[in-house]
Amino acid sequence: MKNKTLLVAGVLFGTLHLNVPDGMAMSPGGRGGTSIVISTQPRFIDIPDQGFSVSVGSPYDIVSYNSQYYLYQNGSWYNSRDYRGPWQVTRESNLPERIRRHRIADIRRYRDTENSRRGNNGQNQRDNNNNNRR
């Protein structure tokens, strides 16, 4: 009976779809974790005073720092070496100090302020930086 219950729960969770924009998805992952899928590269804006970049126009709060990505979702932090994942849950205490010392509300405010200050130039500058790295 227990195996049937687990099987039914697995089928239900396996068909669960969350409402997120095209190119991005979030679904239950293995071992009770969350599988975050981002198939379209997010646009980032540099926050020079803080030394990291933050995603703009994404449903996720993603911070790029030191060739790593840190994603904040529903009170939890995740990290990955690639924006496409795989994403691993990480404790806030394991975030780099440069990110950890800021509340998520402050990171969002830095992003919004810098994005407003730059207008569309912020996107063009980050796109140019990405092209130069390739």
Side-chain angles (χ1 to χ4, degrees), residues 64-132:
S64 174
Y65 173 70
N66 201 22
S67 300
Q68 291 277 329
Y69 294 92
Y70 301 90
L71 183 146
Y72 181 84
Q73 180 71 19
N74 295 328
S76 296
W77 282 98
Y78 303 84
N79 74 312
S80 176
R81 291 182 184 204
D82 191 296
Y83 72 87
R84 293 169 291 212
W87 293 94
Q88 301 294 318
V89 175
T90 189
R91 294 179 185 197
E92 190 169 340
S93 61
N94 290 337
L95 293 173
E97 168 62 24
R98 191 172 293 266
I99 298 169
R100 185 177 61 236
R101 67 182 174 205
H102 303 285
R103 295 177 305 139
I104 191 64
D106 293 332
I107 292 172
R108 291 172 180 154
R109 184 172 45 82
Y110 302 147
R111 175 201 60 209
D112 294 344
T113 300
E114 190 65 22
N115 196 37
S116 294
R117 187 181 74 76
R118 293 183 185 191
N120 288 333
N121 291 334
Q123 177 180 1
N124 295 337
Q125 179 183 354
R126 184 61 179 184
D127 289 344
N128 288 339
N129 287 346
N130 283 338
N131 289 335
N132 291 336

Side-chain angles (χ1 to χ4, degrees), residues 8-69:
V8 170
V11 169
L12 289 174
F13 280 113
T15 59
L16 177 67
H17 297 283
L18 302 175
N19 186 19
V20 294
D22 289 341
M24 302 191 183
M26 197 168 185
S27 63
R31 297 187 180 182
T34 300
S35 174
I36 301 166
V37 179
I38 303 172
S39 58
T40 305
Q41 184 171 6
R43 184 169 64 101
F44 287 86
I45 188 165
D46 292 324
I47 313 296
D49 293 343
Q50 306 309 324
F52 53 74
S53 300
V54 182
S55 64
V56 178
S58 170
Y60 302 116
D61 294 303
I62 306 172
V63 177
S64 174
Y65 173 70
N66 201 22
S67 300
Q68 291 277 329
Y69 294 92

